[in-house]
Amino acid sequence: MISQTFVLTLSCPNRPGIVAAVATYLYESGCNILDAQQFDDVPTDAFFMRVVFNRLDGARAISVIMERFTEVAERFGMDWSIRDRAERRRVMLLASKTDHCLADLLYRWRTGELHMEVSAIVSNHHRDVYGHLDFGDIPFHHLPVTRNTRLQQESRIWNLICDTNTDLVVLARYMQILSDGLAAKLAGRAINIHHSFLPGFKGAKPYHQAFNRGVKLIGATAHYVTSELDEGPIIEQDVEVISHRDMPDDLIRKGRDIERRVLARAVRHHLEGRVILNGHKSVVFTD
Amino acid sequence: MISQTFVLTLSCPNRPGIVAAVATYLYESGCNILDAQQFDDVPTDAFFMRVVFNRLDGARAISVIMERFTEVAERFGMDWSIRDRAERRRVMLLASKTDHCLADLLYRWRTGELHMEVSAIVSNHHRDVYGHLDFGDIPFHHLPVTRNTRLQQESRIWNLICDTNTDLVVLARYMQILSDGLAAKLAGRAINIHHSFLPGFKGAKPYHQAFNRGVKLIGATAHYVTSELDEGPIIEQDVEVISHRDMPDDLIRKGRDIERRVLARAVRHHLEGRVILNGHKSVVFTD
Amino acid sequence: MISQTFVLTLSCPNRPGIVAAVATYLYESGCNILDAQQFDDVPTDAFFMRVVFNRLDGARAISVIMERFTEVAERFGMDWSIRDRAERRRVMLLASKTDHCLADLLYRWRTGELHMEVSAIVSNHHRDVYGHLDFGDIPFHHLPVTRNTRLQQESRIWNLICDTNTDLVVLARYMQILSDGLAAKLAGRAINIHHSFLPGFKGAKPYHQAFNRGVKLIGATAHYVTSELDEGPIIEQDVEVISHRDMPDDLIRKGRDIERRVLARAVRHHLEGRVILNGHKSVVFTD
Amino acid sequence: MISQTFVLTLSCPNRPGIVAAVATYLYESGCNILDAQQFDDVPTDAFFMRVVFNRLDGARAISVIMERFTEVAERFGMDWSIRDRAERRRVMLLASKTDHCLADLLYRWRTGELHMEVSAIVSNHHRDVYGHLDFGDIPFHHLPVTRNTRLQQESRIWNLICDTNTDLVVLARYMQILSDGLAAKLAGRAINIHHSFLPGFKGAKPYHQAFNRGVKLIGATAHYVTSELDEGPIIEQDVEVISHRDMPDDLIRKGRDIERRVLARAVRHHLEGRVILNGHKSVVFTD
């Protein structure tokens, strides 16, 4: 039997004694630390930590552990959470016509590589666009959008997020820019994949921009959505070599591979509590 | 004995029959094609080719081969050159305080990896800054520069370029921006290394810009100098993974490795006639 | 309208005049060369070439072009083929329980990234193992195998290959070793994906071997099948960074991403006529 | 003023309470943890930790801190060390004719990137082989070796190591195989660079082996020396893409870049106390 494990993530102003306080608290509660990573951001004097632990025989109940941790947290002014690793986060996937990221995330969800429940799939296109994709029992919502109906459509999305208890929204090449209002409501829990190596080639048609500039590598960037377009905290980036032979269509094709692996890694990092926001940047405790 | 080999590079408007005309001309001149690469740029309808060949027994003299090639070249409106591969191009190295690229290029020159003659080393700093570097017989010129003396200093550089029959100028982390005038005179024969993955982070202190943006990869870009800062045709780019732990000093350190290999590759490509300008982009026939 | 394009591939003993002969022949037949790559393998004195061309107005019929090319081919002792690029090769996919490569190849086939017809899917497992995969109209064959029935099962596979006019067999993590007999029959037209960076970790459970050795990168290798296990000509390889934190299950998970992109690239190269065998090695004219 | 910082590294059988004990001890000694990384190796049930800390005002003296840590260490059966980060380790460089790794390590030492003292440079070739390299005040020892004099030469090396208080020996493409005896004496403190992606292509002429096998990537491996050739714990590996065009000389040239960056990273990791041996594998706490 694999015992229940938990993930504690926290951030607070840096100050001596944090690690000792957290480690001692867990030890005295009957817990064993399985993994711990920390980061002191010297320029901002902020401290970040991720601890994976399990409960030994005779440990306190997890509810008690969480309740009494409040005291430690208050002493250091921590933002914190403790989650049962077995608990799946509820994730809503937003897609558009281009479905390689959607197909990839669903595949990884089926194999268990992405430990999540898909709360809904939302698209501005009809279900038949994804004819060859098996959505299983996942509810699909066709929410078309025009320039004039954007706010109404977004309010339907927001209602869906609330109704389905969605924890995380993934814009899997959704191609629609969220309004400032919705971006703000989803701060820190909406991940977008941009098909360029940001900050190069923001905005529309980045592969065509890359082609015109004559770069020798193309990339993709997964980042949290903020109200500033393509300016949110970056979670993951990757690139591939291209050459003068690659026309925009080749860049689009090669880019699909980069996009899907970058987005999948970012979603996985988020689901495992490896990403902590640090202003407009992110701390990513990779495995 | 290794026989003499030559490199033919050409570009012209695309049109049927170019490869046949070139290959047949070389064959009938008694030459053997050792390597050939070509590229049809469909959007601009331009054609680019690089051919490596040697002369067989009984071939025409190379001077005759070059002279008569004019006829083929005129028929297709070619820009072209034929060079003896054994002939070393004369390269001037411009450096500033940071000398990792300079040291690296000199090392590669000594081992024969970069087939060139170093016509001069020019710096806005004193010779003693490079105390540990062995310049051998290469003339060193200390040409200090201030905001007010830039044009005078550049005219001394230009005179040096002319006096030393310099073919290529390499800005090996030179850190001074060339005037439009000098940039124009050196079009297609001055290579700069910019310490970012262009077009991201143009201008000053790119590693600090990268740190502030929170990117997860940093890069370097070798490009031809043009009057528009950091906008010239890109020859080579590369990147490395970084993390939230990397402070600006770490980026600078990691970046040195990227810069020196990117610059060395670009210089090598240029020396071997592998780079042909294509408007504000470049065709690079890699090995 | 995009005109019909053709791919000529050839190999022969090296000798002056090949490029001239081929280019002139195509030009005089009314064809235009769109792309050409060549390679002289100095150690073996063999010559390899791939030419993409189309027919201009007034060109000879392609059947005539092919017929008369025989004369050029005979003069130089060429192995050669000319194929219409629009013509899809027929590809049989062999899979086992692990279906990430199968799913990936099917996805790329549906989007048109892999220009092929899937002649059949063959597995030693039941159709329900792939419940979530949409095979469309592709015939599925469940051909179970035990130690004692291997030759019979292989003869059924061979019959299927013949009956379906299959050009290429892809072992998409098929996990069964082909007999020498079948390997020989499929020489140069069966691609396997091995889940290690060959020649490291041949044979069974390569990720466990890699874990035990403590390597810092893992990889995958796509190669043609030969009778010597994991010794066939390599087409494509790639790697990813790992660390001491990665347990065998993590290597398996990270490896899936490497395997599917390496296999997909190799299949694509083969379909586009970019791979030419050179003894127990391969020449790959990448795009 | 930057305060004095220290690095604690430890390994011991895994057991609850280690992190709490270490963190509490440091906190109660008046120290502040700046960075901490840990690793539980589940298969072997071993625990590894690296802690960077400094002393706050009123902290105990470092000698006292080290002395009393013995008590914590004994309770958990730790192998441990505490080092002042400012203290430079003494490193002996062994080189042969090929000097790219030697030149690179010296350059990085001069810029301060490698925080070490070079205790000696030892070569089986004459000083003039390195005519263009500035060794500054570093003692150079020419210790030629033949098949028959190997043990005598090694005993001179060993005496030098002892006399110069050398902490680490770096085989910077030394090309001589150490005897089992010397390898055993240097266990965990001699780093070799092998010019292949181990475990592929052990032994002599790995680039020629790679060429003959037709691989599509080449690599280099930095590892601790053990009595089994090319089987020691791996510290760092990297690769680069090659193609059928690359002859053995090209592999050697491209390999130099990989070798020097892989070796430099491995040496840096060792100097910073980031590498802890784990049987025949290594734990590397990267930055």
Side-chain angles (χ1 to χ4, degrees):
Chain A
M1 196 205 76
I2 291 165
S3 77
Q4 234 183 335
T5 57
F6 301 89
V7 180
L8 162 64
T9 53
L10 64 89
S11 61
C12 62
N14 195 15
R15 174 177 134 190
I18 305 174
V19 181
V22 171
T24 302
Y25 174 79
L26 289 172
Y27 180 61
E28 291 178 350
S29 303
C31 298
N32 182 35
I33 295 179
L34 299 169
D35 188 19
Q37 289 179 277
Q38 63 165 84
F39 173 59
D40 301 2
D41 191 24
V42 174
T44 62
D45 219 22
F47 179 86
F48 303 86
M49 194 172 194
R50 176 181 187 268
V51 183
V52 181
F53 64 92
N54 61 4
R55 293 165 59 249
L56 301 169
D57 288 346
R60 289 176 192 156
I62 188 67
S63 57
V64 177
I65 290 171
M66 289 173 71
E67 197 188 309
R68 297 204 192 153
F69 187 74
T70 314
E71 197 187 304
V72 180
E74 277 173 4
R75 201 171 351 133
F76 293 94
M78 291 173 181
D79 272 340
W80 66 282
S81 79
I82 292 178
R83 294 181 63 99
D84 183 341
R85 274 176 117 185
E87 193 185 294
R88 293 164 187 273
R89 302 208 192 194
R90 294 179 60 75
V91 179
M92 180 180 290
L93 305 177
L94 268 59
S96 194
K97 217 161 191 172
T98 303
D99 66 6
H100 56 281
C101 285
L102 177 63
D104 185 64
L105 293 171
L106 289 173
Y107 185 81
R108 293 178 198 263
W109 161 69
R110 276 217 173 75
T111 61
E113 183 177 319
L114 291 177
H115 188 71
M116 63 185 184
E117 271 178 31
V118 184
S119 59
I121 296 168
V122 171
S123 172
N124 51 340
H125 291 274
H126 268 283
R127 175 64 181 90
D128 0 323
V129 168
Y130 315 102
H132 58 285
L133 289 181
D134 177 359
F135 290 167
D137 296 331
I138 306 167
F140 174 84
H141 301 269
H142 174 215
L143 300 182
V145 62
T146 63
R147 188 171 299 198
N148 295 324
T149 62
R150 188 159 70 113
L151 291 181
Q152 293 95 302
Q153 191 241 22
E154 280 197 353
S155 100
R156 294 180 64 189
I157 293 177
W158 176 247
N159 289 339
L160 257 180
I161 291 169
C162 298
D163 293 350
T164 56
N165 292 313
T166 288
D167 296 299
L168 175 70
V169 173
V170 177
L171 281 65
R173 294 296 309 273
Y174 177 55
M175 308 306 283
Q176 301 292 321
I177 297 166
L178 300 191
S179 69
D180 289 7
L182 187 54
K185 282 185 200 159
L186 293 174
R189 56 195 193 102
I191 296 177
N192 183 45
I193 179 76
H194 183 72
H195 39 314
S196 88
F197 183 73
L198 289 174
F201 311 129
K202 291 178 206 172
K205 290 196 168 274
Y207 291 126
H208 289 78
Q209 292 183 52
F211 173 78
N212 288 327
R213 180 61 186 90
V215 291
K216 300 300 184 188
L217 296 170
I218 53 164
T221 305
H223 63 91
Y224 287 110
V225 175
T226 59
S227 57
E228 280 179 273
L229 183 62
D230 300 331
E231 286 286 357
I234 293 171
I235 306 169
E236 178 80 19
Q237 298 187 291
D238 206 346
V239 294
E240 279 190 22
V241 172
I242 59 161
S243 82
H244 57 264
R245 290 173 177 273
D246 289 300
M247 295 294 114
D249 277 357
D250 299 304
L251 303 191
I252 289 167
R253 169 174 56 81
K254 292 185 173 181
R256 281 196 296 259
D257 272 27
I258 316 174
E259 293 160 34
R260 59 184 202 172
R261 73 172 180 261
V262 166
L263 181 57
R265 282 183 202 148
V267 170
R268 188 175 156 92
H269 289 331
H270 181 98
L271 294 175
E272 294 184 344
R274 296 183 179 279
V275 194
I276 309 182
L277 283 176
N278 181 16
H280 63 284
K281 297 164 69 171
S282 74
V283 171
V284 183
F285 291 120
T286 51
D287 53 350
Chain B
M1 197 205 75
I2 291 166
S3 75
Q4 235 183 334
T5 56
F6 301 88
V7 179
L8 161 65
T9 52
L10 64 89
S11 61
C12 61
N14 195 15
R15 177 176 130 188
I18 305 173
V19 181
V22 171
T24 301
Y25 174 78
L26 289 172
Y27 180 61
E28 292 178 349
S29 303
C31 298
N32 182 34
I33 294 179
L34 299 168
D35 189 19
Q37 288 180 278
Q38 64 166 83
F39 172 59
D40 301 2
D41 192 25
V42 175
T44 63
D45 218 22
F47 178 86
F48 304 86
M49 194 174 195
R50 176 183 187 266
V51 182
V52 181
F53 64 92
N54 60 3
R55 292 163 60 250
L56 301 170
D57 288 345
R60 290 178 191 155
I62 188 67
S63 58
V64 177
I65 290 172
M66 288 173 71
E67 199 187 308
R68 297 203 192 155
F69 188 73
T70 315
E71 196 189 302
V72 180
E74 276 173 3
R75 199 171 353 134
F76 293 96
M78 292 174 179
D79 272 339
W80 67 281
S81 79
I82 291 178
R83 294 180 64 99
D84 184 342
R85 275 177 116 185
E87 193 186 293
R88 292 165 188 272
R89 302 208 193 195
R90 294 180 58 75
V91 179
M92 179 179 289
L93 305 178
L94 270 59
S96 194
K97 217 161 191 173
T98 303
D99 66 5
H100 57 281
C101 285
L102 176 64
D104 185 64
L105 292 173
L106 289 173
Y107 185 82
R108 293 179 198 263
W109 161 68
R110 276 219 174 74
T111 60
E113 183 177 319
L114 291 177
H115 188 70
M116 63 185 182
E117 271 177 33
V118 185
S119 58
I121 297 169
V122 172
S123 172
N124 51 340
H125 291 274
H126 269 284
R127 174 65 181 89
D128 0 321
V129 168
Y130 315 102
H132 59 283
L133 287 181
D134 178 359
F135 289 167
D137 296 330
I138 306 167
F140 173 83
H141 302 270
H142 174 215
L143 300 182
V145 62
T146 63
R147 187 171 301 198
N148 295 324
T149 63
R150 189 159 68 116
L151 290 181
Q152 292 98 299
Q153 191 241 21
E154 280 197 353
S155 100
R156 295 180 64 189
I157 294 177
W158 176 247
N159 288 340
L160 257 180
I161 291 169
C162 298
D163 294 349
T164 56
N165 292 315
T166 288
D167 297 301
L168 176 70
V169 173
V170 177
L171 281 65
R173 293 298 308 273
Y174 176 56
M175 309 305 283
Q176 301 292 322
I177 297 167
L178 300 191
S179 69
D180 288 7
L182 187 54
K185 283 184 200 160
L186 293 173
R189 57 194 193 104
I191 296 177
N192 181 47
I193 178 75
H194 184 72
H195 38 315
S196 88
F197 184 74
L198 290 173
F201 312 129
K202 290 179 207 173
K205 291 197 167 274
Y207 291 127
H208 289 78
Q209 293 183 52
F211 173 77
N212 289 328
R213 180 59 186 92
V215 290
K216 300 299 184 189
L217 296 170
I218 53 165
T221 305
H223 63 92
Y224 287 110
V225 175
T226 58
S227 57
E228 281 180 273
L229 183 64
D230 300 331
E231 285 286 356
I234 293 170
I235 306 168
E236 178 78 21
Q237 300 188 289
D238 206 348
V239 295
E240 279 190 23
V241 172
I242 59 162
S243 82
H244 57 266
R245 291 173 176 272
D246 288 300
M247 295 293 114
D249 278 356
D250 299 305
L251 303 192
I252 289 167
R253 169 175 55 82
K254 292 186 174 181
R256 282 197 294 260
D257 272 27
I258 317 174
E259 292 160 34
R260 59 185 202 171
R261 73 172 179 264
V262 166
L263 180 57
R265 279 183 204 149
V267 170
R268 188 177 155 91
H269 289 331
H270 181 98
L271 293 175
E272 295 185 342
R274 295 183 180 281
V275 194
I276 309 181
L277 284 176
N278 181 15
H280 62 284
K281 298 165 68 171
S282 74
V283 171
V284 183
F285 291 121
T286 52
D287 54 349
Chain C
M1 198 204 74
I2 292 166
S3 76
Q4 236 182 333
T5 58
F6 301 89
V7 179
L8 161 65
T9 53
L10 63 90
S11 61
C12 61
N14 195 16
R15 177 178 131 189
I18 305 173
V19 181
V22 171
T24 302
Y25 174 78
L26 289 172
Y27 180 61
E28 292 178 349
S29 303
C31 298
N32 182 35
I33 295 179
L34 299 168
D35 189 18
Q37 289 178 278
Q38 63 166 84
F39 172 59
D40 300 3
D41 192 24
V42 175
T44 62
D45 218 24
F47 178 86
F48 303 86
M49 194 173 194
R50 177 182 187 267
V51 182
V52 181
F53 64 91
N54 61 5
R55 293 163 60 251
L56 302 170
D57 288 347
R60 289 176 192 155
I62 188 66
S63 57
V64 176
I65 291 171
M66 289 174 70
E67 197 188 308
R68 297 203 191 154
F69 188 73
T70 314
E71 195 189 304
V72 180
E74 278 173 3
R75 200 170 353 134
F76 292 95
M78 292 174 180
D79 272 340
W80 67 281
S81 79
I82 292 178
R83 293 181 64 99
D84 184 341
R85 276 177 115 184
E87 194 185 294
R88 291 164 188 272
R89 301 207 193 195
R90 293 180 58 77
V91 180
M92 180 180 291
L93 305 178
L94 269 58
S96 194
K97 216 161 190 171
T98 303
D99 66 5
H100 55 282
C101 285
L102 177 64
D104 185 63
L105 292 172
L106 289 173
Y107 185 82
R108 292 179 199 263
W109 161 70
R110 276 219 173 74
T111 60
E113 185 177 319
L114 291 177
H115 188 70
M116 64 186 183
E117 270 177 32
V118 185
S119 59
I121 296 169
V122 172
S123 172
N124 51 340
H125 291 274
H126 268 284
R127 174 65 181 89
D128 358 323
V129 167
Y130 316 102
H132 58 285
L133 288 182
D134 178 0
F135 289 167
D137 296 330
I138 306 168
F140 174 84
H141 302 270
H142 173 214
L143 300 182
V145 63
T146 64
R147 189 171 300 199
N148 296 324
T149 61
R150 191 160 65 116
L151 290 181
Q152 294 96 301
Q153 191 239 22
E154 280 197 353
S155 100
R156 294 179 66 189
I157 294 178
W158 176 248
N159 288 340
L160 256 181
I161 291 169
C162 298
D163 293 350
T164 56
N165 293 313
T166 288
D167 298 299
L168 175 70
V169 173
V170 177
L171 281 65
R173 293 295 308 273
Y174 176 55
M175 309 306 283
Q176 301 293 320
I177 298 167
L178 300 192
S179 68
D180 289 6
L182 187 53
K185 283 185 201 159
L186 293 174
R189 56 194 193 104
I191 296 176
N192 181 46
I193 178 77
H194 183 72
H195 37 316
S196 88
F197 183 73
L198 289 173
F201 312 130
K202 290 178 206 172
K205 289 198 169 273
Y207 291 127
H208 289 79
Q209 293 183 52
F211 174 78
N212 289 327
R213 179 61 187 90
V215 292
K216 300 300 185 188
L217 296 170
I218 54 165
T221 304
H223 63 92
Y224 287 110
V225 175
T226 60
S227 58
E228 280 179 274
L229 183 62
D230 298 333
E231 286 286 355
I234 294 171
I235 306 169
E236 177 81 19
Q237 299 187 290
D238 206 348
V239 295
E240 278 191 23
V241 172
I242 59 162
S243 82
H244 57 264
R245 291 173 175 273
D246 288 301
M247 296 293 114
D249 277 357
D250 299 306
L251 303 191
I252 290 167
R253 168 175 56 81
K254 291 185 174 182
R256 282 197 295 260
D257 271 28
I258 316 175
E259 292 159 34
R260 59 186 202 171
R261 73 173 179 261
V262 166
L263 181 58
R265 280 183 203 148
V267 170
R268 187 176 156 92
H269 289 331
H270 181 98
L271 294 175
E272 294 184 345
R274 296 183 179 279
V275 194
I276 309 182
L277 283 176
N278 180 16
H280 62 285
K281 296 164 68 171
S282 74
V283 171
V284 183
F285 291 120
T286 51
D287 53 350
Chain D
M1 198 204 71
I2 291 165
S3 77
Q4 234 182 335
T5 57
F6 302 89
V7 179
L8 162 65
T9 52
L10 64 89
S11 61
C12 61
N14 195 15
R15 181 177 127 188
I18 305 173
V19 181
V22 171
T24 301
Y25 174 78
L26 289 173
Y27 180 61
E28 291 178 349
S29 302
C31 298
N32 182 34
I33 294 178
L34 299 168
D35 189 18
Q37 288 180 278
Q38 63 166 86
F39 172 59
D40 302 2
D41 191 23
V42 175
T44 62
D45 218 23
F47 179 86
F48 303 85
M49 194 174 195
R50 178 182 186 267
V51 183
V52 181
F53 64 92
N54 60 5
R55 294 165 59 250
L56 301 170
D57 288 346
R60 289 177 192 155
I62 188 68
S63 57
V64 177
I65 290 172
M66 287 172 71
E67 198 188 306
R68 297 203 190 155
F69 187 74
T70 315
E71 196 189 303
V72 180
E74 278 173 4
R75 201 173 348 137
F76 292 95
M78 293 174 180
D79 272 338
W80 66 282
S81 79
I82 291 179
R83 293 180 64 99
D84 184 341
R85 276 177 114 184
E87 193 185 296
R88 290 163 189 274
R89 301 208 192 193
R90 293 179 60 74
V91 179
M92 180 179 290
L93 305 178
L94 269 59
S96 195
K97 216 159 191 174
T98 303
D99 67 4
H100 56 281
C101 285
L102 177 63
D104 185 64
L105 292 172
L106 289 173
Y107 184 83
R108 293 180 198 262
W109 161 69
R110 276 218 173 74
T111 59
E113 184 176 318
L114 291 178
H115 188 70
M116 63 185 184
E117 271 177 33
V118 185
S119 59
I121 296 170
V122 172
S123 173
N124 52 339
H125 291 274
H126 269 284
R127 174 65 180 89
D128 0 322
V129 168
Y130 315 102
H132 58 284
L133 287 182
D134 178 1
F135 289 169
D137 298 329
I138 306 168
F140 174 83
H141 302 269
H142 174 214
L143 300 181
V145 63
T146 64
R147 190 171 297 199
N148 295 323
T149 62
R150 189 160 68 115
L151 290 181
Q152 293 96 299
Q153 191 240 24
E154 280 197 353
S155 99
R156 294 179 66 189
I157 294 177
W158 175 248
N159 288 339
L160 256 181
I161 291 169
C162 298
D163 293 350
T164 55
N165 292 314
T166 288
D167 297 300
L168 176 70
V169 173
V170 177
L171 281 66
R173 291 299 306 274
Y174 176 55
M175 308 306 282
Q176 301 292 321
I177 297 167
L178 301 191
S179 68
D180 288 6
L182 187 54
K185 283 184 199 159
L186 292 174
R189 57 196 192 100
I191 296 176
N192 183 47
I193 178 76
H194 183 72
H195 39 313
S196 87
F197 183 74
L198 289 173
F201 312 128
K202 290 178 206 172
K205 290 196 168 274
Y207 292 127
H208 289 79
Q209 293 183 51
F211 174 77
N212 288 328
R213 179 61 187 91
V215 291
K216 300 300 184 190
L217 296 170
I218 53 165
T221 304
H223 63 92
Y224 287 111
V225 175
T226 59
S227 58
E228 280 179 273
L229 183 62
D230 300 331
E231 285 287 357
I234 294 171
I235 307 169
E236 178 79 19
Q237 300 187 290
D238 206 349
V239 295
E240 278 191 23
V241 173
I242 58 161
S243 83
H244 58 265
R245 290 173 176 273
D246 288 301
M247 296 293 115
D249 278 356
D250 299 305
L251 303 191
I252 289 167
R253 170 175 55 81
K254 292 186 173 179
R256 283 197 295 261
D257 272 28
I258 316 175
E259 292 160 34
R260 60 186 203 171
R261 72 171 180 263
V262 166
L263 180 57
R265 279 182 203 149
V267 170
R268 188 176 155 92
H269 289 332
H270 181 97
L271 294 175
E272 295 185 343
R274 296 183 179 280
V275 194
I276 308 181
L277 283 177
N278 181 16
H280 62 286
K281 297 164 68 171
S282 74
V283 171
V284 183
F285 291 122
T286 52
D287 53 350

